Amino acid sequence: MLAILERIDPDSDRIDLLVDLVDCLRPRHRWVWQKEDDPVQAVRTLTQLLRGNPAQAWALRRYITTLLERRRHTSLYSDIGILSNDGFVTELKRRVTYRFLPPALNDLYLSDALDQVLYDEDDHAWIRMVPNADWMELFDVIADAPPPQDATPDRARYVTLMGLLDAIRTLSCRICALGLEPRLVHSYSEIEDFDSPFLMQNIEVNHYLDEYARYLDGKIEQPEPARHLLVMLDQCTEVVLKIRRGAQSSGTSVALTYLLVALQQSIDRLHKLLYLVDVSGELPSAPSVNLEAVASSVATPAGLVTSDRRLAAIALAEELIEAHNTKYRVRGLLRDNVDLLARNVTENASRTGEHYIAETRRALRHMFVAASGAGFIVGFMAMFKIMLGYLHTAPLVEAFLFSMNYSLGFILIYVLHFTVATKQPAMTAQHIAASLQNADNGRGLDVDSLATLVTKVFRTQIVAVLGNVALAFPVAWLIAVGYKMINGNHMVDPAKARHLLADIDPLHGPALFYAAVAGVWLFVAGLISGYYDNKALYTRMGQRVRQLRSLRRLLGPARLERFSVYVEDNLGSLMGNFFFGLMLGMTGFVGFLLGLPLDIRHVTFSTANFATALVGLDYALSWTAIGTASLGVALIGTVNLLVSFGLALWVAMRARKIRFKRGILLVQALGRRLLTAPVEFFLGPKDLPRLANDSELIMRDTK
């Protein structure tokens, strides 16, 4: 460290000596810092060396000010840590590309010089470990070093100040442009009814900077405080918050979310820069800010530097350094931009999940009937799949036919208001996560209420599975028997029948792994449903359908109105079922292309195939084979449900930033319910007697 200080040329603007000096401060071991490798001690050692040798302290000060004077500052304050205007996809592509091949650096810009000095991605970590007091002590030693008699005054503070003012103007123009984006106006049309705060803040910033220029020229004693400008910025922030809140009911998109993130980052940065250049002392302190390079604190032209402002400058410097170190990381971009979309997707799925929970025994009977209807259709879908396999078409054509069989069948089940049991977990998990968030609202989580909800979900799921299986088996059996009666031979030969039984054998094959694959697709289908529900709201799908003149002539105004409402309300479920069918049908083909053992096992189709195989073998099965097949169906259904439910619940909780740590209490509450009321645990409470009308209910309550 001492050798580097001795080599410093005060009038040089080469960056290599500063790089070497920071290397002495940087810990050599990234994760485990030892006593001799402590960055705090390294900073204190440098401070002591400079305090003991004022000439070297002055040389370092002059060297740093020369670096600052000969580089452009604006982009460091206005760009680093703020998303570009390129859009999410372009920004993602840029970050992925630059992770492998960084862009060429231009030494003319201070931001690129920072890239050369703090090149390690973990530099921000050890810099934050050093207390602010130690950094300020180091800066004071450098700033207060006595200059030699022939030293010329430096302009580093003036250059820094002008860079801050230029960054304020740049950020203001960017906020104005982003605030007038059609996507934002589309999501908050009320902004057109009054003067846009995004436009007004730009007018206020220009006025403030003009006043500041007159102040620097000595024409006025002090520029007007930027209080009115801060009011405009607060109104801009309020608009952003309103759009975010409105997205829960009107939907959002990745592009809109990206725009809101970039807008809020620009507003926050502008607020921080205004605090640093303010000379009135009347502005409220901004949240943590950062200073520029490792030079002195930001000062006003009058040389007035308050302790709060110095802390704000150090905070801004640390923020800029961390943003610089992480500017090519993909994780941060996804975290900032996908969270709101994921929240909306899971929120829409949560509202759908409410319809998959039966509260009473009467509702359970309705669920059983709806599930039985689905089982009836699945019996025919299983038969169509077997018949399509006999066509012996090309693998891609066969996979397409299988996919259409699944997709159209699931859509038919949905349109007829039937229920496939395995489609429920992805939706009910979202509803449970939403209930977790609503229950734990600072007052403590009501575990008993959550146990009640989980119990309802559990018994509804059991009834739905039983309904699917109860009709899928006899329908498939009747189809197989009827086929033999009509054609004189079995629908499947003995070899095919044994193959169908081997497919659901959980002991000697990968049936449970394939069931887990199906569970993953069930979970993905739930996300797709939520995505398209969100998309239907955000793009106003119903209104777009009503604008189709050709469809109006075909259906008429009344039918078109009903159809548009149906599309907007059900687009998510329709697309979720369609893509679920595609994923089921294409999995085997993708496995064939990649040479991987990929396939799917679905409990309802496994049940239908079991019945078909039983007829194909003329019931010549041992009790062991029947037991194995029955166990396979039960385990396949269990894996389908657990995988899809677990993944959906995990994603929903992550999207809502929920961390549930009371699993043991929940299990205990469920155990108490099972022991005290086992019948109600599986069948639900008894139905209340139906009353003729509301007046009868009032009379009964009065008695």
Side-chain angles (χ1 to χ4, degrees):
M1 190 179 296
L2 182 59
I4 296 174
L5 293 175
E6 292 175 348
R7 290 191 291 116
I8 289 179
D9 180 4
D11 298 320
S12 172
D13 65 346
R14 292 179 55 185
I15 201 74
D16 53 345
L17 285 177
L18 185 58
V19 173
D20 293 340
L21 183 60
V22 174
D23 281 339
C24 294
L25 303 178
R26 180 184 294 110
R28 291 183 296 275
H29 303 86
R30 179 172 296 186
W31 302 113
V32 181
W33 291 329
Q34 303 173 8
K35 187 174 182 180
E36 64 276 7
D37 198 29
D38 185 5
V40 179
Q41 188 59 44
V43 171
R44 291 174 180 173
T45 300
L46 177 60
T47 303
Q48 292 300 324
L49 287 174
L50 295 175
R51 181 179 286 117
N53 194 330
Q56 289 183 351
W58 165 253
L60 179 59
R61 172 185 173 180
R62 184 68 177 181
Y63 170 64
I64 292 176
T65 55
T66 302
L67 292 177
L68 294 176
E69 288 175 6
R70 298 181 183 179
R71 283 165 177 81
R72 299 176 182 176
H73 293 225
T74 304
S75 60
L76 175 64
Y77 312 127
S78 63
D79 296 345
I80 299 298
I82 298 176
L83 294 176
S84 66
N85 296 344
D86 297 330
F88 177 80
V89 176
T90 304
E91 178 69 15
L92 179 62
K93 188 189 305 181
R94 185 180 68 87
R95 292 196 180 196
V96 172
T97 303
Y98 287 168
R99 290 288 289 182
F100 296 99
L101 186 63
L105 299 179
N106 188 344
D107 199 49
L108 182 63
Y109 294 94
L110 186 60
S111 57
D112 286 356
L114 187 67
D115 206 311
Q116 300 176 60
V117 177
L118 301 173
Y119 53 82
D120 194 302
E121 287 191 356
D122 295 314
D123 278 337
H124 65 278
W126 68 263
I127 288 175
R128 286 187 183 276
M129 281 194 61
V130 179
N132 289 341
D134 290 321
W135 285 121
M136 285 194 291
E137 185 178 1
L138 175 61
F139 297 153
D140 286 340
V141 170
I142 297 174
D144 297 338
Q149 294 182 351
D150 58 345
T152 58
D154 61 70
R155 300 175 63 253
R157 291 182 175 178
Y158 178 78
V159 172
T160 299
L161 178 62
M162 297 308 296
L164 291 172
L165 296 176
D166 288 342
I168 288 173
R169 191 183 301 275
T170 301
L171 286 169
S172 176
C173 293
R174 187 176 298 163
I175 291 169
C176 182
L178 293 176
L180 299 178
E181 275 281 330
R183 289 190 187 92
L184 190 142
V185 176
H186 166 83
S187 300
Y188 189 66
S189 58
E190 291 86 348
I191 201 172
E192 297 178 317
D193 297 335
F194 49 85
D195 292 335
S196 170
F198 302 102
L199 181 60
M200 295 303 298
Q201 64 81 27
N202 184 248
I203 297 174
E204 291 293 330
V205 163
N206 288 328
H207 175 70
Y208 178 77
L209 294 179
D210 290 342
E211 288 283 304
Y212 211 100
R214 296 176 61 201
Y215 161 67
L216 293 178
D217 292 339
K219 297 179 180 179
I220 58 175
E221 182 179 351
Q222 180 176 295
E224 295 181 6
R227 288 192 298 268
H228 192 58
L229 171 56
L230 293 184
V231 172
M232 292 294 101
L233 293 179
D234 290 341
Q235 291 182 8
C236 294
T237 301
E238 184 62 28
V239 171
V240 173
L241 293 176
K242 286 181 179 179
I243 295 175
R244 284 183 176 271
R245 289 193 295 265
Q248 301 299 325
S249 58
S250 60
T252 188
S253 67
V254 172
L256 176 62
T257 306
Y258 182 92
L259 172 65
L260 294 177
V261 171
L263 188 56
Q264 189 60 56
Q265 289 175 342
S266 300
I267 294 172
D268 292 341
R269 180 65 56 80
L270 179 56
H271 191 287
K272 296 171 184 179
L273 297 184
L274 286 171
Y275 177 71
L276 289 180
V277 303
D278 175 57
V279 295
S280 67
E282 299 181 13
L283 292 188
S285 61
S288 62
V289 196
N290 278 11
L291 185 57
E292 10 91 316
V294 86
S296 58
S297 304
V298 174
T300 65
L304 215 52
V305 183
T306 65
S307 176
D308 287 344
R309 187 165 307 164
R310 296 182 69 190
L311 291 174
I314 291 177
L316 179 57
E318 292 176 344
E319 178 185 319
L320 290 175
I321 292 170
E322 182 174 1
H324 159 76
N325 288 157
T326 59
K327 62 183 176 181
Y328 299 141
R329 290 185 183 177
V330 175
R331 183 186 306 172
L333 178 67
L334 296 177
R335 180 189 64 244
D336 293 339
N337 289 274
V338 179
D339 276 358
L340 180 60
L341 181 62
R343 171 66 187 273
N344 279 22
V345 166
T346 56
E347 191 69 30
N348 284 297
S350 166
R351 288 191 287 268
T352 305
E354 298 178 17
H355 305 296
Y356 287 114
I357 299 176
E359 300 280 347
T360 63
R361 294 186 184 180
R362 184 181 300 112
L364 284 174
R365 288 194 292 270
H366 289 312
M367 179 61 69
F368 183 83
V369 172
S372 299
F376 177 83
I377 295 177
V378 168
F380 284 92
M381 292 170 63
M383 182 265 293
F384 291 146
K385 184 176 183 294
I386 293 173
M387 303 304 293
L388 290 172
Y390 288 151
L391 297 178
H392 299 294
T393 57
L396 179 59
V397 176
E398 184 178 70
F400 173 76
L401 294 175
F402 287 169
S403 299
M404 290 301 100
N405 176 50
Y406 286 128
S407 295
L408 298 179
F410 287 135
I411 289 176
L412 178 62
I413 289 172
Y414 177 77
V415 170
L416 296 178
H417 302 290
F418 295 149
T419 300
V420 177
T422 51
K423 288 299 298 297
Q424 294 176 239
M427 304 299 180
T428 53
Q430 317 286 357
H431 184 59
I432 289 177
S435 301
L436 273 172
Q437 186 180 39
N438 294 333
D440 197 5
N441 192 19
R443 301 184 299 271
L445 183 63
D446 187 354
V447 177
D448 287 334
S449 299
L450 181 60
T452 301
L453 177 60
V454 173
T455 303
K456 293 176 183 177
V457 171
F458 172 77
R459 60 174 171 248
T460 305
Q461 193 65 66
I462 293 297
V463 168
V465 172
L466 291 177
N468 285 166
V469 172
L471 221 59
F473 187 92
V475 168
W477 180 82
L478 288 173
I479 291 174
V481 171
Y483 186 93
K484 182 181 179 183
M485 293 176 61
I486 295 173
N487 295 289
N489 59 304
H490 288 297
M491 187 169 61
V492 295
D493 56 28
K496 178 66 174 178
R498 284 190 289 271
H499 179 71
L500 291 176
L501 291 177
D503 285 345
I504 60 176
D505 187 345
L507 306 177
H508 306 94
L512 298 185
F513 172 72
Y514 293 158
V517 174
V520 173
W521 295 152
L522 286 161
F523 153 71
V524 174
L527 292 184
I528 291 174
S529 295
Y531 170 79
Y532 276 98
D533 277 332
N534 171 77
K535 188 178 182 67
L537 291 172
Y538 178 68
T539 60
R540 302 176 186 176
M541 190 64 67
Q543 181 178 341
R544 293 169 64 188
V545 171
R546 286 192 294 272
Q547 293 171 183
L548 295 175
R549 293 185 176 87
S550 57
L551 202 58
R552 180 180 297 274
R553 289 193 297 268
L554 179 65
L555 299 179
R559 289 192 182 91
L560 179 61
E561 177 68 25
R562 292 195 299 271
F563 179 72
S564 64
V565 172
Y566 181 85
V567 169
E568 184 167 313
D569 292 342
N570 299 275
L571 180 65
S573 296
L574 293 173
M575 297 304 294
N577 282 292
F578 178 76
F579 280 103
F580 179 52
L582 285 182
M583 289 183 287
L584 292 186
M586 287 291 179
T587 300
F589 175 69
V590 173
F592 168 74
L593 289 179
L594 300 178
L596 297 176
L598 291 179
D599 208 342
I600 57 97
R601 296 291 181 268
H602 189 276
V603 57
T604 314
F605 287 92
S606 299
T607 303
N609 290 338
F610 180 27
T612 303
L614 195 63
V615 176
L617 293 173
D618 289 321
Y619 313 103
L621 284 176
S622 64
W623 287 109
T624 302
I626 293 176
T628 301
S630 302
L631 177 65
V633 170
L635 291 179
I636 287 172
T638 302
V639 173
N640 286 162
L641 300 178
L642 289 179
V643 171
S644 60
F645 183 84
L647 289 174
L649 183 61
W650 178 75
V651 169
M653 293 178 69
R654 285 291 299 270
R656 292 172 170 80
K657 297 179 174 61
I658 302 171
R659 299 183 66 184
F660 182 57
K661 301 180 180 179
R662 304 186 183 183
I664 296 178
L665 296 178
L666 177 60
V667 172
Q668 292 175 347
L670 292 173
R672 287 195 300 269
R673 290 172 179 271
L674 179 61
L675 293 176
T676 56
V679 176
E680 289 190 4
F681 188 87
F682 290 98
L683 298 180
K686 292 182 179 180
D687 297 329
L688 293 174
R690 288 190 175 182
L691 302 177
N693 49 43
D694 292 341
S695 60
E696 186 177 344
L697 176 62
I698 295 174
M699 291 178 62
R700 192 192 71 171
D701 290 341
T702 304
K703 293 179 181 179

